[in-house]
Amino acid sequence: MKLLPSLKSASLAAILATSVAFPALAETPKDTFVIARNTADAITLDPAETFEFTGGRVLANLYERLFLFEPDNLTELVGGIAESYEFSDDGKKITVKLRPGLTFHSGNPVTATDVAYSLGRAIKLDKTPAFIIKQIGWTPENVDEAVVAVDDNTVEINILADISPALVLNLLSSSVASIVDMKEVQKHEVDGDMGYGWLKDHAAGSGPFKLKTWKANELFILEAFDDYRHGKPTMNRVVIRHVAEPSAQRLLLEKGDVDAAMELTADQLKGLAGNADVSAQQYPKGYLMYLATNMEHPVLSKPKVREALNYIVDYDGMVGSILDGQYKIHQNFWPSGMWAASMETPYSYDMDKAKALIAEAGVEPGTKITIDTLNKSPFKEVAQNIQASLKEVGIDSEIILSDGKTLWPKYRARKHELIVARWGPDYSDPHSNADAFAHNPDNRLEAKLTGKLTWRNAWDAEGLTELTNQAAAESDPEVRADIYADLQKKVREDSPFTIMFQAIGTFGQRANVDGFVNGVTSDQAYYRNVTKN
C-alpha cells in the first residue's frame, strides 16, 4: 500500500469590507495578501466547469483533490484528501483511504461519499474540463458504479479505459477532480442541476481558503479556513483585484497598495530595479503561446500555408523585445522542464521561404483573414507582429481583440479563422497536452469535444489519435517517452498549430512578502504559505 505524506501550519483577525472599492492603503494589512491581476477570463468557480487561468488559480486554494502537488514540492505527486492508495493486481482498480478528520468549510466531514459524488457530478455535468477524467473510461451511465464509496473513509476507483494506473493518478490531480461538499451543494440544487447554478459564484471546498466575495471584473476575497488540514494559513485573507493594465498594476505595487502584480511587462519589471521595496520574481510556467488555423478555412487549411506560418513568426525578434524576460522560444506541444519534452526548434523567421510556400499554395495576393486574440499584452502585440508578416506575404488580416469571456466560447465553437492563443497543462503528464494537440476521436461538429484543440480547429489528427492512445496505455516510461517525442515531431511538422513560445513566469512583489508559490500549471498557485515581515 502506498502511504502519502502530510504536513502542518497556523493564525486570524478582522474582515475586509466586501465593497467593490478597495481603499488606497499605501501599505496592505499585515494579515492580508493583495494581488493585482487581470481577472477578465474568470467565468465560473464551479470545479466541474472552470477551465480558465484565473479560475484555476482560485480553485487551487478553495478545494482539495485526492492527489495533488504541494507548494513545498511541485515535482512530486502526493495525497491531498487521500492518505494512502493501493492498485489491484491487474491495475484496473485503485482503493483509496482518506485522511481521517478532514472537514469542509461548512463543517461537514469529508467522506468517500463526497469523493464519489464529486467525480460523478463532473462526469454527469460534462462541461469542458470533464474530458480529463472521462479518459478513465467514465460516462454518465457508468460512473456511479466506477467510483464507489465502500465506507466513510474508503473509495474504490475502477479504471474502465486502457490507460496506465500512473496516468490515472495524474488525471485525478486536475481541478475538475476537486472534491466538493455534497451536502452543501445539494442544499442549493435547483431542478436537478447538482448545484450548477449556485457553484458558479459560490464554493463548497475543504482547501486552505474560503470564498467570501467574487465580483466579476472587480475582485475576489478569500478568507483563511481555521480547520485546514495543514493548519490555518498565516494570511487571514487574500484579495485578488482586477487590474487590467500592467502599468496600473505597477503603480499600485510601488505605492504599496498591492503585494504582488502578476502581469507586468518586461520593461516594467526592469524598472523595478533599484527600488528596495519591490522585486521581480520568476517561476516555472508551462503555458505555451501558439498560432492555430481553423481547418475549415479554405486558405488557412492548405498544407503549404500552414507550413509558411512556421516561418513568418519573428521568434528571436519578439523574444528580444515585446516578450523579453517573459517568454522563450519553444516549438513543441509539451513544455520544457517537464518529463518527455522535446527541445527541438527547427523553425526561424524566413520571409523568403514563407513567400515561396504561399506562392506554391496558390494564395491570391490581398487574401483577407481575421486574427483573434486576447485584448491584453503580450497577445495583441504578438498578433500585430504576425499581421505585419502576413502583409509581407500578401495576406491582409484584421485583428479582433476580445476578453476571455468572449474569445474562448468563440474558439470552442470553431468560429475563428487564425488565432493567437495560449495553453497550459491540466496535470503533470505529457498526455495532458498530447490529448489537446494530437488527439481527436470524433471531428464532427456535433461531437463538441471542446476541450481538445484538435477539435476546436477542425483537425481530425489522423494517425496521431491512435499514437496518443498508445502512449497513454504504455506502462514502460522509456517507451512512453519515445512515443511522445514522435508525437511532438509530427505535430510540429504537419498540424494546424504553430507553437511559438513558452512562458517564463514573472511578477512583481513587495520585498516584505515571502512564500508565494507558483507552479507550472494554472492550478499550482498557492497562497497558504505566504508570510509578511
PDB file of all heavy atoms in Angstrom, residues 21-35:
ATOM      1  N   ALA A  21     -14.994  48.925  -4.026  1.00  0.00           N
ATOM      2  CA  ALA A  21     -13.882  49.882  -3.964  1.00  0.00           C
ATOM      3  C   ALA A  21     -12.925  49.463  -2.864  1.00  0.00           C
ATOM      4  O   ALA A  21     -13.284  49.437  -1.703  1.00  0.00           O
ATOM      5  CB  ALA A  21     -14.417  51.279  -3.682  1.00  0.00           C
ATOM      6  N   PHE A  22     -11.717  49.125  -3.239  1.00  0.00           N
ATOM      7  CA  PHE A  22     -10.695  48.730  -2.268  1.00  0.00           C
ATOM      8  C   PHE A  22      -9.848  49.970  -1.976  1.00  0.00           C
ATOM      9  O   PHE A  22      -9.279  50.558  -2.879  1.00  0.00           O
ATOM     10  CB  PHE A  22      -9.848  47.595  -2.853  1.00  0.00           C
ATOM     11  CG  PHE A  22      -8.939  46.952  -1.858  1.00  0.00           C
ATOM     12  CD1 PHE A  22      -9.382  45.890  -1.098  1.00  0.00           C
ATOM     13  CD2 PHE A  22      -7.653  47.411  -1.687  1.00  0.00           C
ATOM     14  CE1 PHE A  22      -8.534  45.287  -0.184  1.00  0.00           C
ATOM     15  CE2 PHE A  22      -6.805  46.811  -0.782  1.00  0.00           C
ATOM     16  CZ  PHE A  22      -7.257  45.742  -0.025  1.00  0.00           C
ATOM     17  N   PRO A  23      -9.786  50.407  -0.746  1.00  0.00           N
ATOM     18  CA  PRO A  23      -9.143  51.679  -0.446  1.00  0.00           C
ATOM     19  C   PRO A  23      -7.648  51.691  -0.737  1.00  0.00           C
ATOM     20  O   PRO A  23      -6.991  50.672  -0.649  1.00  0.00           O
ATOM     21  CB  PRO A  23      -9.388  51.844   1.059  1.00  0.00           C
ATOM     22  CG  PRO A  23      -9.567  50.454   1.562  1.00  0.00           C
ATOM     23  CD  PRO A  23     -10.247  49.704   0.462  1.00  0.00           C
ATOM     24  N   ALA A  24      -7.150  52.854  -1.121  1.00  0.00           N
ATOM     25  CA  ALA A  24      -5.707  53.032  -1.277  1.00  0.00           C
ATOM     26  C   ALA A  24      -5.089  53.044   0.105  1.00  0.00           C
ATOM     27  O   ALA A  24      -5.416  53.883   0.933  1.00  0.00           O
ATOM     28  CB  ALA A  24      -5.407  54.337  -2.000  1.00  0.00           C
ATOM     29  N   LEU A  25      -4.199  52.065   0.365  1.00  0.00           N
ATOM     30  CA  LEU A  25      -3.725  51.872   1.726  1.00  0.00           C
ATOM     31  C   LEU A  25      -2.300  52.349   1.952  1.00  0.00           C
ATOM     32  O   LEU A  25      -1.885  52.518   3.072  1.00  0.00           O
ATOM     33  CB  LEU A  25      -3.814  50.381   2.081  1.00  0.00           C
ATOM     34  CG  LEU A  25      -5.238  49.803   2.067  1.00  0.00           C
ATOM     35  CD1 LEU A  25      -5.178  48.304   2.173  1.00  0.00           C
ATOM     36  CD2 LEU A  25      -6.045  50.390   3.202  1.00  0.00           C
ATOM     37  N   ALA A  26      -1.530  52.514   0.865  1.00  0.00           N
ATOM     38  CA  ALA A  26      -0.114  52.832   0.966  1.00  0.00           C
ATOM     39  C   ALA A  26       0.648  51.671   1.576  1.00  0.00           C
ATOM     40  O   ALA A  26       1.842  51.548   1.391  1.00  0.00           O
ATOM     41  CB  ALA A  26       0.133  54.107   1.746  1.00  0.00           C
ATOM     42  N   GLU A  27      -0.034  50.812   2.305  1.00  0.00           N
ATOM     43  CA  GLU A  27       0.553  49.567   2.780  1.00  0.00           C
ATOM     44  C   GLU A  27      -0.597  48.630   3.095  1.00  0.00           C
ATOM     45  O   GLU A  27      -1.557  48.995   3.759  1.00  0.00           O
ATOM     46  CB  GLU A  27       1.403  49.793   4.034  1.00  0.00           C
ATOM     47  CG  GLU A  27       2.080  48.526   4.520  1.00  0.00           C
ATOM     48  CD  GLU A  27       2.981  48.777   5.711  1.00  0.00           C
ATOM     49  OE1 GLU A  27       3.917  49.575   5.571  1.00  0.00           O
ATOM     50  OE2 GLU A  27       2.736  48.181   6.774  1.00  0.00           O
ATOM     51  N   THR A  28      -0.519  47.406   2.573  1.00  0.00           N
ATOM     52  CA  THR A  28      -1.614  46.468   2.806  1.00  0.00           C
ATOM     53  C   THR A  28      -1.556  45.949   4.244  1.00  0.00           C
ATOM     54  O   THR A  28      -0.497  45.943   4.875  1.00  0.00           O
ATOM     55  CB  THR A  28      -1.515  45.282   1.838  1.00  0.00           C
ATOM     56  OG1 THR A  28      -0.279  44.603   2.063  1.00  0.00           O
ATOM     57  CG2 THR A  28      -1.593  45.764   0.394  1.00  0.00           C
ATOM     58  N   PRO A  29      -2.703  45.493   4.789  1.00  0.00           N
ATOM     59  CA  PRO A  29      -2.699  44.955   6.152  1.00  0.00           C
ATOM     60  C   PRO A  29      -1.735  43.781   6.287  1.00  0.00           C
ATOM     61  O   PRO A  29      -1.529  43.012   5.341  1.00  0.00           O
ATOM     62  CB  PRO A  29      -4.153  44.497   6.340  1.00  0.00           C
ATOM     63  CG  PRO A  29      -4.943  45.319   5.388  1.00  0.00           C
ATOM     64  CD  PRO A  29      -4.054  45.525   4.201  1.00  0.00           C
ATOM     65  N   LYS A  30      -1.152  43.626   7.438  1.00  0.00           N
ATOM     66  CA  LYS A  30      -0.156  42.575   7.674  1.00  0.00           C
ATOM     67  C   LYS A  30      -0.736  41.175   7.499  1.00  0.00           C
ATOM     68  O   LYS A  30      -0.011  40.230   7.196  1.00  0.00           O
ATOM     69  CB  LYS A  30       0.432  42.698   9.091  1.00  0.00           C
ATOM     70  CG  LYS A  30       1.357  43.891   9.275  1.00  0.00           C
ATOM     71  CD  LYS A  30       2.662  43.708   8.504  1.00  0.00           C
ATOM     72  CE  LYS A  30       3.645  44.827   8.795  1.00  0.00           C
ATOM     73  NZ  LYS A  30       4.872  44.707   7.957  1.00  0.00           N
ATOM     74  N   ASP A  31      -2.047  41.035   7.702  1.00  0.00           N
ATOM     75  CA  ASP A  31      -2.662  39.716   7.627  1.00  0.00           C
ATOM     76  C   ASP A  31      -3.392  39.485   6.304  1.00  0.00           C
ATOM     77  O   ASP A  31      -4.185  38.557   6.180  1.00  0.00           O
ATOM     78  CB  ASP A  31      -3.633  39.506   8.796  1.00  0.00           C
ATOM     79  CG  ASP A  31      -4.829  40.457   8.742  1.00  0.00           C
ATOM     80  OD1 ASP A  31      -4.815  41.394   7.915  1.00  0.00           O
ATOM     81  OD2 ASP A  31      -5.780  40.252   9.518  1.00  0.00           O
ATOM     82  N   THR A  32      -3.123  40.337   5.313  1.00  0.00           N
ATOM     83  CA  THR A  32      -3.838  40.259   4.038  1.00  0.00           C
ATOM     84  C   THR A  32      -2.850  40.286   2.877  1.00  0.00           C
ATOM     85  O   THR A  32      -1.962  41.134   2.829  1.00  0.00           O
ATOM     86  CB  THR A  32      -4.828  41.431   3.903  1.00  0.00           C
ATOM     87  OG1 THR A  32      -5.737  41.416   5.008  1.00  0.00           O
ATOM     88  CG2 THR A  32      -5.617  41.340   2.604  1.00  0.00           C
ATOM     89  N   PHE A  33      -3.017  39.358   1.964  1.00  0.00           N
ATOM     90  CA  PHE A  33      -2.186  39.285   0.762  1.00  0.00           C
ATOM     91  C   PHE A  33      -3.016  39.812  -0.402  1.00  0.00           C
ATOM     92  O   PHE A  33      -4.059  39.242  -0.743  1.00  0.00           O
ATOM     93  CB  PHE A  33      -1.757  37.843   0.514  1.00  0.00           C
ATOM     94  CG  PHE A  33      -0.827  37.660  -0.655  1.00  0.00           C
ATOM     95  CD1 PHE A  33       0.255  38.502  -0.868  1.00  0.00           C
ATOM     96  CD2 PHE A  33      -1.015  36.606  -1.544  1.00  0.00           C
ATOM     97  CE1 PHE A  33       1.126  38.316  -1.939  1.00  0.00           C
ATOM     98  CE2 PHE A  33      -0.158  36.397  -2.618  1.00  0.00           C
ATOM     99  CZ  PHE A  33       0.915  37.262  -2.814  1.00  0.00           C
ATOM    100  N   VAL A  34      -2.571  40.915  -1.005  1.00  0.00           N
ATOM    101  CA  VAL A  34      -3.342  41.583  -2.049  1.00  0.00           C
ATOM    102  C   VAL A  34      -2.610  41.433  -3.383  1.00  0.00           C
ATOM    103  O   VAL A  34      -1.437  41.777  -3.514  1.00  0.00           O
ATOM    104  CB  VAL A  34      -3.549  43.077  -1.722  1.00  0.00           C
ATOM    105  CG1 VAL A  34      -4.433  43.729  -2.784  1.00  0.00           C
ATOM    106  CG2 VAL A  34      -4.172  43.242  -0.339  1.00  0.00           C
ATOM    107  N   ILE A  35      -3.328  40.921  -4.370  1.00  0.00           N
ATOM    108  CA  ILE A  35      -2.770  40.637  -5.683  1.00  0.00           C
ATOM    109  C   ILE A  35      -3.485  41.477  -6.733  1.00  0.00           C
ATOM    110  O   ILE A  35      -4.714  41.580  -6.716  1.00  0.00           O
ATOM    111  CB  ILE A  35      -2.949  39.147  -6.042  1.00  0.00           C
ATOM    112  CG1 ILE A  35      -2.301  38.252  -4.991  1.00  0.00           C
ATOM    113  CG2 ILE A  35      -2.398  38.837  -7.434  1.00  0.00           C
ATOM    114  CD1 ILE A  35      -2.724  36.793  -5.095  1.00  0.00           C
TER     115      ILE A  35
END
